[in-house]
Amino acid sequence: QAGLTQPPSVSEDLRQTATLICTGNSNNVGDRGAVWLQQHQGHPPKLLSNRNNNRPSGISERFSASRSGNTASLTITGLQPEDEADYYCSAWDTSFTGWVFGGGTKLTVL
Amino acid sequence: EVQLVESGGDVVQPGGSLRLSCVASTFTFSNYWMNWVRQAPGKGLEWVANIKRDGSEKYYVDSVKGRFTISRDNAKNSLYLQMNSLRVEDTAVYYCVSFDVGWGQGTQVVVSS
């Protein structure tokens, strides 16, 4: 099954804003939206945003998710060194009848 | 904060079996679909299986169909994954996941002769 498409890497300056993109189709992102995950090296993924673009308790307001059509976005404002991580998107795919993932974007904070 | 604690990972030979468990706390487990997601060494994330709130629907990725079985016990706030006929390519960290509320810490499964 085809996964979601994410750019392999994004670099942005400290205290600036980064926007990560995740592209799917009408069977997944375009149907019910996407979730966003953050994973630091050697650690489990952490849920940043659910399909309703809501942050779980404890997730900083600097992380905000949105969707337009078949594309989901994660915006991180006021970049901090600890934001350096891999970011994954995922969505339920109605044709595959399962969750599909993007390949992940490695965010570097300069 | 959501707590999902996995256990049961081990080193097993090809063709062997394992049963993974996950205990949930701090949220109403029975209200959520639950999933197993795995991550092979140095690789991305792969969804393995999920189960409806009441256990009445289950879905699997093709590569594990007929070999893995997902189940849950809402009275025990627990999720399970029975893994049979294990293959080398099943080697991964297995996470217990609710895509609505959070992820567990993972349990390591190594399939090797």
Side-chain angles (χ1 to χ4, degrees):
Chain A
Q1 77 293 350
L4 308 179
T5 300
Q6 298 182 253
S9 63
V10 167
S11 298
E12 191 53 77
D13 291 327
L14 188 67
R15 294 182 294 276
Q16 298 305 305
T17 296
T19 299
L20 309 183
I21 300 296
C22 168
T23 303
N25 59 42
S26 58
N27 294 319
N28 43 62
V29 175
D31 184 58
R32 297 189 185 182
V35 305
W36 285 94
L37 309 162
Q38 177 193 61
Q39 186 176 33
H40 289 103
Q41 182 73 25
H43 292 269
K46 178 190 294 185
L47 182 66
L48 296 178
S49 174
N50 64 21
R51 281 185 292 180
N52 296 320
N53 298 326
N54 295 323
R55 288 182 303 275
S57 172
I59 301 300
S60 170
E61 294 179 350
R62 297 189 298 107
F63 295 91
S64 63
S66 63
R67 174 172 67 105
S68 176
N70 297 332
T71 299
S73 301
L74 178 71
T75 299
I76 311 170
T77 58
L79 282 169
Q80 299 298 308
E82 60 266 29
D83 296 332
E84 272 206 358
D86 293 323
Y87 291 83
Y88 292 91
C89 61
S90 184
W92 176 260
D93 190 293
T94 56
S95 64
F96 167 57
T97 322
W99 285 85
V100 291
F101 285 90
T105 295
K106 183 175 183 62
L107 175 64
T108 300
V109 179
L110 302 172
Chain B
E1 188 171 325
V2 166
Q3 283 213 347
L4 292 162
V5 180
E6 303 95 332
S7 61
D10 205 345
V11 180
V12 62
Q13 291 189 339
S17 296
L18 280 177
R19 189 191 194 213
L20 306 184
S21 299
C22 168
V23 178
S25 58
T26 73
F27 69 102
T28 306
F29 178 75
S30 58
N31 284 354
Y32 296 95
W33 283 74
M34 293 300 297
N35 302 262
W36 288 99
V37 174
R38 65 186 178 184
Q39 187 169 33
K43 301 296 185 181
L45 299 164
E46 180 185 37
W47 173 81
V48 174
N50 70 354
I51 185 168
K52 196 175 180 179
R53 291 173 286 271
D54 61 359
S56 62
E57 292 181 38
K58 305 174 185 182
Y59 299 96
Y60 300 89
V61 68
D62 282 350
S63 59
V64 308
K65 283 179 181 176
R67 300 189 300 124
F68 290 9
T69 302
I70 190 172
S71 61
R72 67 191 297 163
D73 184 339
N74 287 340
K76 296 182 178 180
N77 289 335
S78 293
L79 178 72
Y80 307 101
L81 186 67
Q82 178 65 42
M83 309 165 68
N84 298 331
S85 303
L86 281 161
R87 304 169 180 169
V88 171
E89 55 265 34
D90 294 320
T91 294
V93 176
Y94 284 73
Y95 296 103
C96 172
V97 175
S98 162
F99 282 96
D100 293 300
V101 296
W103 289 55
Q105 294 295 306
T107 187
Q108 177 79 56
V109 172
V110 176
V111 184
S112 173
S113 55

